[in-house]
Amino acid sequence: MNLDDLADKAEEYRNQDPDITHEARVCMAASCQSSGAPEVMAALHRALTAIPPPAPGERQGDVEGDAERDGDSEGDGTMAGAGLAGPADRVTRGHRCKVKGVGCMGLCSAGPLVAVAEKGAELMASTLYREVRPEDAPAILASVAGPPVARLHCPTDQPFFARQQRIVLENAGVIDPDSFKGYVAVGGYAPLVQALTEMTPAEVLREITLSGLRGRGGGGYPTGLKWSTVAKMPGERKFVICNADEGDPGAFMDRAVLESDPHRVLEGMAIAAYAIGAAKGYVYVRAEYPLAVERLTTAIRKAKRAGFLGGKIAETPFSFEVEIRLGAGAFVCGEETALMASIEGNRGQPRPRPPYPAESGLWGCPTLINNVETFANIAPIVRHGGAWFAGIGTEKSKGTKVFALAGTIENTGLIEVPMGTRLRDIITAIGGGIPGGRAFKAVQTGGPSGGCIPAEHLDIPVDYDGLKTLGTIMGSGGMIVMDETADMVDVARYFMEFCMSESCGKCVPCRAGTQQLHALLDKIAKGEARHQDLALLEELCEVVQATSLCGLGQTAPNPVLSTLRFFRDEYEAKLCAP
Amino acid sequence: MPPPPTPANVRVVTLTIDGQDLSARADETIIEVCRENQIPIPSLCYLDGLSIWGACRLCLVEIAGQGRLFAACATQVAEGMQVLTNTERLRRYRRTIVELLFAERSHICSVCVSNGHCELQHLAQTCGVDHVRVPYRQARYQMDSSHELFRLDHNRCILCTRCVRVCDEIEGAHTWDLMGRGSDCLVITDLAQPWGDSETCTGCGKCVQVCPTGALVKQGTSAGEMVKDQHFLPILARRRQAR
Ligand SMILES: Cc1cc2nc3c(=O)[nH]c(=O)nc-3n(C[C@H](O)[C@H](O)[C@H](O)COP(=O)(O)O)c2cc1C
Ligand code: SF4
Ligand code: SF4
Ligand code: FES
């Protein structure tokens, strides 16, 4: 198969139901599902069938629905809802509509979200509805041909949507994550075929290096450098691992990507495998993400059947198998050496580095390990070129970053913005500010490994280096917003409790140190501490940071140091005697 | 026993440790070179003859030009490397780590069978720990006296996993392993059964001999009586390598 063949296929899939002009897209990602999206989806199906039967000779409206997704012999999405659906054009005056389950549209706090759009149109060009109830289904379907339902309408020209730039999330909320054809129809797998048939591995490496992409899992290590290192390592057997263990409290970027566009991650992994010379990959997903696991499993099965995974991909000599490994919910298993120990069937505990995984990883073989979002950036880079990607973002942080907005903020959900976007824009414009008229106090980035940023630094451009100057980190993309009522000692205690209970127990400073730090923070919070306790707290922070074996312990003191830096008065106000 | 000959493909490098010029095989770790040259470096989880664990963090050293610290037991030497093993900062960190260990479980030396023969106690003395500034955790764990020859007291365990490694790597029984996480980690026999019921334990006692503290001891010993002998380990380990 070459690029032209694939383009023909994409064209064919796009024109598969020529009568369908519109789609009612229901977000079926985990968050909207929990606020009632499946019921809304069912109601939309019922509303389609409730439409009076067609006049003789008229064509039946098509329904593509959740339940039917795996029904056809090709194992792909479409199934005509014969007898189920009435003629959509009766209500919609010349338009035919189908109901489609899609991934995350971002504004999770307003779920369930339903978008009515012309077939294949992007999210911005759709009519979006918020907090949809099942009884709203007929009105929404009626709006396909008429004016929007005003009371549900959620304009997509508001800053939450307009200020974003979607690269990683370009298909999220648009395509059906379970549909292989849907992914191909929007140009999916063309970058893989392009890499395999028109580029050498060295050329792929060059584009990734040129793009300036840095790892999205927290460390920000240059992806091109990591790939070239593994590519240069001697050895017949090499592995690719996708780290989908996402364990930071308040972070759900990787989950959303996997639930919304799983093929994109597989495609990124396959391109990586080609570039470094691997034939086997693992996706390490936490078992608490059952929907992501289910969609990934479906995606692997369908990609394999279509010849984009497995042996001789696109009729080239390149073969690549992907397997899923489930993590049992230990935060430390996101650390790369612990993750590999876990895949090997051992206790998930980190080991000293070097040797780094690039040299000695899974079963001692050179191994490339990248985050979900890192892999999700690969296909666009190959498609548009490294230089295109390097044109987005700041000097040392290229491209976009997905953030999960959580905490006391108007719009909680998932956003993607160019690197270098000012924090104020993210919190105020995109996030919609603090609810209830309260004042902003701080935002925690980088989860338990990061720190807080107070109001006076809101104008910082968000990129790897900018955040570091404030003593925090980009991390994987969690942003927890706190208003004036937040107690910063309590915040520090919360994150320390998390680190203490997630410490694997291998090394002494982290195992015993986090436990002592937590006890000290507890003592301060309860107003029982003195000045010497504060001094001991700072000293222990230094020791745990400098001497712990892995990143968990090394970064566990960060929330304490950061709150001490910006809110020391809150600590001091709680001390009982001088 | 003579040292094993240097394999043909291993280079010899020169480096400095605390200003002293030294030569070493490129596949040696910093701690091995220190031991060869009588440069004292504290360690608890490292034991010549066992695999590297890198967890007690007492052997951390500074390397010129590197921002972070490195575990001497887990870091191979390199040409031109400049190592510092005994800076003020390192001494302060080591003292704190030993204090953390003392506070984590109940290490009360005066009543311990290993009093006077305990590596933790000895380290506290050499690192200059004269008091513990952090509060004792006061957790109480069960003793396991079910084995006819030996006894396990979790309250004195520092989770160095020497017992786990010697049992797996030298004796080949793999009776020991770890359970739980954080400060509640415990060493266990088989699937957390009483040691006396273990079907894999051969009763060889290697774990008892390598245990640095009074956590693993012979039955019937009382305060200060438990003297351990680890001399067998490097000899056995090298015999195994030779095969
Ligand atoms: C305690 C700990 C937890 C981590 N959890 C994750 C995680 O959930 N997902 C992730 O991608 N990286 C995680 N990392 C970072 C990984 O070790 C590794 O650096 C990353 O997967 C590399 O991918 P990247 O270069 O694409 O960022 C964690 C690191 C530490 C120390
Ligand atoms: S720093 Fe914490 S999580 Fe990492 S190895 Fe040490 S005890 Fe385990
Ligand atoms: S029982 Fe002894 S050898 Fe085993 S982990 Fe505990 S202290 Fe180390
Ligand atoms: S002796 Fe090196 S970390 Fe324990």
Side-chain angles (χ1 to χ4, degrees):
Chain A
M1 174 172 301
N2 60 29
L3 273 178
D4 290 338
D5 303 336
L6 191 64
D8 290 345
K9 276 267 176 248
E11 183 70 23
E12 181 194 323
Y13 295 155
R14 272 196 297 276
N15 298 329
Q16 209 165 33
D17 314 297
D19 297 330
I20 298 286
T21 58
H22 284 74
E23 301 169 334
R25 302 172 184 156
V26 186
C27 172
M28 292 293 277
S31 170
C32 278
Q33 282 211 11
S34 64
S35 60
E39 292 76 24
V40 170
M41 177 106 154
L44 282 165
H45 277 300
R46 274 198 309 276
L48 268 187
T49 48
I51 292 161
E58 228 171 9
R59 200 186 171 281
Q60 301 268 313
D62 286 344
V63 175
E64 185 181 50
D66 201 31
E68 297 91 23
R69 272 193 208 159
D70 261 346
D72 69 342
S73 56
E74 252 198 292
D76 211 331
T78 15
M79 181 177 173
L84 258 180
D89 49 324
R90 280 282 183 82
V91 242
T92 60
R93 284 177 235 131
H95 302 299
R96 283 169 188 266
C97 184
K98 70 171 177 178
V99 178
K100 179 164 123 177
V102 296
C104 183
M105 300 192 234
L107 195 52
C108 305
S109 54
L113 293 171
V114 175
V116 173
E118 280 181 33
K119 196 163 83 176
E122 53 181 282
L123 178 62
M124 287 291 289
S126 68
T127 309
L128 189 63
Y129 295 113
R130 57 185 295 158
E131 290 160 47
V132 177
R133 312 251 49 92
E135 52 275 19
D136 300 325
I140 287 177
L141 283 184
S143 79
V144 169
V149 188
R151 78 194 150 83
L152 301 171
H153 193 202
C154 177
T156 53
D157 57 0
Q158 59 176 307
F160 180 84
F161 297 100
R163 298 290 270 279
Q164 295 194 41
Q165 180 177 3
R166 294 180 145 226
I167 295 175
V168 168
L169 300 176
E170 60 184 340
N171 297 333
V174 176
I175 65 168
D176 175 352
D178 277 340
S179 167
F180 169 77
K181 290 178 180 173
Y183 184 65
V184 171
V186 294
Y189 286 113
L192 174 62
V193 172
Q194 183 185 342
L196 294 183
T197 58
E198 296 179 1
M199 296 166 86
T200 63
E203 280 167 342
V204 177
L205 292 174
R206 200 176 312 147
E207 290 304 322
I208 302 300
T209 306
L210 187 65
S211 74
L213 175 65
R214 292 169 68 174
R216 302 294 195 236
Y221 192 80
T223 306
L225 181 56
K226 197 186 263 189
W227 288 25
S228 320
T229 311
V230 186
K232 290 198 173 96
M233 282 292 162
E236 288 290 300
R237 259 171 99 213
K238 293 182 186 176
F239 294 98
V240 172
I241 299 175
C242 173
N243 188 341
D245 196 50
E246 195 167 60
D248 291 21
F252 46 91
M253 301 76 51
D254 296 346
R255 178 173 82 179
V257 171
L258 290 173
E259 287 177 357
S260 306
D261 199 3
H263 284 285
R264 155 184 301 261
V265 178
L266 297 175
E267 183 172 11
M269 290 177 72
I271 294 171
Y274 173 69
I276 65 159
K280 174 96 203 195
Y282 292 93
V283 186
Y284 190 88
V285 204
R286 47 195 319 215
E288 293 96 324
Y289 285 177
L291 187 61
V293 173
E294 187 190 311
R295 293 195 174 156
L296 203 53
T297 309
T298 306
I300 292 174
R301 179 164 47 77
K302 291 186 178 178
K304 209 168 159 172
R305 195 174 324 168
F308 291 99
L309 283 180
K312 298 211 180 341
I313 295 177
E315 291 136 32
T316 68
F318 173 68
S319 300
F320 183 57
E321 299 281 353
V322 175
E323 264 184 60
I324 296 178
R325 283 286 181 277
L326 296 187
F331 175 59
V332 74
C333 283
E335 196 279 340
E336 52 193 28
T337 58
L339 186 152
M340 293 185 308
S342 173
I343 290 182
E344 289 175 9
N346 298 319
R347 193 176 149 87
Q349 282 189 318
R351 59 156 175 80
R353 300 173 305 169
Y356 289 91
E359 183 187 343
S360 175
L362 268 187
W363 295 289
C365 302
T367 302
L368 174 73
I369 174 161
N370 275 129
N371 167 258
V372 170
E373 191 183 332
T374 311
F375 281 123
N377 271 301
I378 300 303
I381 291 174
V382 171
R383 185 195 312 269
H384 304 294
W388 161 81
F389 193 82
I392 305 163
T394 62
E395 193 198 337
K396 290 199 174 134
S397 307
K398 301 301 187 187
T400 59
K401 180 76 193 80
V402 181
F403 291 102
L405 285 181
T408 46
I409 187 156
E410 196 63 50
N411 302 328
T412 56
L414 204 69
I415 60 160
E416 181 174 1
V417 290
M419 293 277 189
T421 302
R422 288 185 191 282
L423 191 55
R424 186 183 300 285
D425 287 342
I426 295 179
I427 306 287
T428 318
I430 298 177
I434 313 296
R438 287 192 298 270
F440 169 86
K441 183 167 193 179
V443 54
Q444 176 84 15
T445 67
S449 319
C452 63
I453 303 173
E456 64 260 33
H457 291 291
L458 267 182
D459 282 313
I460 182 115
V462 176
D463 66 6
Y464 290 103
D465 312 286
L467 293 182
K468 258 198 200 131
T469 61
L470 292 182
T472 180
I473 56 166
M474 170 94 78
S476 54
M479 278 197 183
I480 302 174
V481 182
M482 292 167 272
D483 68 19
E484 57 193 340
T485 63
D487 174 342
M488 299 316 277
V489 175
D490 207 39
V491 169
R493 180 175 60 174
Y494 166 79
F495 283 115
M496 192 53 73
E497 186 178 1
F498 178 83
C499 292
M500 172 180 76
S501 52
E502 292 296 334
S503 164
C504 79
K506 177 165 177 174
C507 72
V508 183
C510 169
R511 182 182 75 219
T514 54
Q515 186 252 320
Q516 292 287 354
L517 284 170
H518 179 259
L520 277 168
L521 289 165
D522 199 47
K523 197 170 164 190
I524 296 171
K526 288 186 177 138
E528 295 164 0
R530 294 156 185 276
H531 260 287
Q532 57 262 43
D533 291 312
L534 199 54
L536 183 60
L537 181 79
E538 294 189 272
E539 196 190 324
L540 278 182
C541 279
E542 185 196 337
V543 177
V544 173
Q545 202 171 39
T547 63
S548 289
L549 169 58
C550 87
L552 195 157
Q554 288 160 6
T555 61
N558 288 358
V560 183
L561 294 170
S562 163
T563 46
L564 271 170
R565 175 171 167 183
F566 295 115
F567 301 97
R568 196 179 184 92
D569 51 326
E570 291 193 23
Y571 281 82
E572 279 168 353
K574 289 186 200 289
L575 299 181
C576 59
Chain B
M1 190 186 275
T6 303
N9 55 353
V10 172
R11 301 207 345 260
V12 173
V13 299
T14 55
L15 71 160
T16 69
I17 299 182
D18 299 332
Q20 200 179 331
D21 287 310
L22 299 166
S23 70
R25 281 186 0 213
D27 61 355
E28 280 182 289
T29 56
I30 297 173
I31 208 169
E32 287 172 320
V33 180
C34 287
R35 294 279 146 94
E36 264 167 52
N37 294 284
Q38 287 83 46
I39 298 167
I41 205 161
S43 66
L44 271 177
C45 64
Y46 171 79
L47 201 56
D48 185 9
L50 297 183
S51 62
I52 300 304
W53 186 234
C56 73
R57 315 308 281 167
L58 284 163
C59 70
L60 288 178
V61 294
E62 294 179 28
I63 297 180
Q66 301 280 347
R68 66 179 176 107
L69 305 174
F70 287 81
C73 66
T75 309
Q76 287 192 347
V77 295
E79 180 62 40
M81 192 182 247
Q82 292 171 294
V83 182
L84 292 175
T85 69
N86 200 17
T87 62
E88 191 282 322
R89 177 162 79 120
L90 290 173
R91 286 198 298 270
R92 185 158 52 86
Y93 290 169
R94 286 172 190 152
R95 273 200 305 276
T96 310
I97 292 173
V98 173
E99 284 180 54
L100 285 172
L101 274 175
F102 268 91
E104 189 179 32
R105 303 234 166 139
S106 27
H107 297 281
I108 300 160
C109 301
S110 53
V111 294
C112 178
V113 288
S114 288
N115 190 12
H117 315 286
C118 168
E119 292 183 45
L120 181 63
Q121 187 183 37
H122 182 68
L123 264 175
Q125 286 155 359
T126 53
C127 292
V129 178
D130 37 26
H131 64 293
V132 175
R133 292 164 302 162
V134 290
Y136 269 56
R137 190 163 145 255
Q138 310 286 8
R140 279 275 170 272
Y141 296 94
Q142 290 262 306
M143 298 249 295
D144 183 346
S145 299
S146 59
H147 198 282
E148 57 173 332
L149 299 171
F150 315 117
R151 196 166 69 221
L152 162 67
D153 184 354
H154 291 293
N155 298 298
R156 290 168 179 155
C157 172
I158 57 165
L159 297 169
C160 68
T161 73
R162 284 185 187 183
C163 54
V164 179
R165 285 174 287 153
V166 81
C167 182
D168 177 42
E169 297 163 14
I170 304 294
E171 179 62 7
H174 201 133
T175 300
W176 292 100
D177 217 317
L178 287 173
M179 172 179 106
R181 64 185 182 203
S183 275
D184 285 324
C185 268
L186 293 178
V187 289
I188 51 168
T189 42
D190 287 354
L191 298 171
Q193 290 140 304
W195 193 358
D197 297 347
S198 166
E199 288 173 4
T200 57
C201 174
T202 62
C204 74
K206 290 188 176 69
C207 52
V208 175
Q209 297 303 331
V210 299
C211 177
T213 68
L216 290 176
V217 295
K218 281 190 195 150
Q219 290 283 24
T221 45
S222 65
E225 286 179 2
M226 184 65 220
V227 185
K228 297 186 178 182
D229 177 12
Q230 297 164 359
H231 192 63
F232 72 94
L233 184 57
I235 298 171
L236 269 187
R238 289 200 167 74
R239 274 196 204 142
R240 290 198 128 214
Q241 256 168 17
R243 266 197 280 131

